Amino acid sequence: MEMPTNIGSVGSGMREFCGRRRRTRRDTQGLRDLGPTLSLDFAESGLHPSAMKFILTTHNVTLTKAIEDHILALIWKLESLDRFAINARVMLEHDTTKPSEKQFKCSVRLEVPGPDLFAVDTEAELYSAIDLVFKKIEQQIRKRHSKFKTRAFR
């Protein structure tokens, strides 16, 4: 599975990504190899109306390709859990005035129909903060999904 490509930059420290383009029957007729476009199972079925938008903002953190790839892999995991996600906003911050065990802060806002899902975590290392905040969002998605399933079977 290929990752989305960078569309452009918006402001300093903010990057915007578009997850994938939805294929239609007209796009695939007569074309066998469309190149590096992404396709997921639920995108083909028509249940997923649009591609999820991903915005990554940094404050006092240099954004490397490794950090970007790590976050994109976690976003793809979230998108497979909740196919109705609209936007994902990730903010990475480094605060040198705080104690060393709370210097890196990661916050994620996942926009879904209904109330948005939001999680924040501060840790001594950036990658551990990213992993823990995505774990919190994943738990919220699972809780939301199980709540909808119990309502459907009443």
Side-chain angles (χ1 to χ4, degrees):
M1 184 181 310
E2 295 186 37
M3 294 294 170
T5 57
N6 187 357
I7 296 177
S9 63
V10 181
S12 65
M14 180 183 280
R15 292 192 182 179
E16 197 169 319
F17 298 92
C18 184
R20 66 185 173 283
R21 183 168 98 31
R22 188 173 148 212
R23 287 185 184 178
T24 60
R25 184 180 297 272
R26 184 177 44 199
D27 292 341
T28 57
Q29 286 178 345
L31 298 174
R32 293 292 172 213
D33 183 25
L34 294 177
T37 58
L38 297 173
S39 174
L40 299 177
D41 292 338
F42 56 83
E44 296 285 335
S45 68
L47 296 175
H48 197 285
S50 63
M52 182 167 76
K53 192 175 178 183
F54 170 60
I55 299 170
L56 177 60
T57 309
T58 61
H59 292 284
N60 297 328
V61 176
T62 55
L63 185 63
T64 63
K65 184 69 175 161
I67 295 171
E68 193 175 296
D69 290 341
H70 185 70
I71 292 173
L72 284 175
L74 293 170
I75 289 287
W76 278 90
K77 185 178 178 184
L78 291 181
E79 191 174 22
S80 68
L81 291 173
D82 191 356
R83 64 181 184 208
F84 298 110
I86 301 166
N87 288 340
R89 296 178 184 269
V90 179
M91 184 182 299
L92 303 174
E93 295 181 37
H94 178 71
D95 193 359
T96 56
T97 61
K98 292 192 176 182
S100 62
E101 62 270 356
K102 300 284 185 181
Q103 281 191 350
F104 289 101
K105 179 180 176 182
C106 179
S107 63
V108 174
R109 177 176 301 278
L110 191 66
E111 296 179 20
V112 292
D116 294 346
L117 304 177
F118 182 75
V120 178
D121 195 46
T122 55
E123 293 293 324
E125 294 182 7
L126 180 62
Y127 282 98
S128 61
I130 292 169
D131 290 338
L132 288 174
V133 78
F134 275 97
K135 187 176 180 181
K136 288 178 182 179
I137 288 285
E138 185 177 333
Q139 289 172 349
Q140 290 179 19
I141 289 174
R142 290 184 191 279
K143 180 179 177 182
R144 181 177 183 263
H145 184 69
S146 65
K147 187 187 299 185
F148 286 138
K149 282 182 87 172
T150 56
R151 284 185 190 164
F153 291 117
R154 285 186 186 181

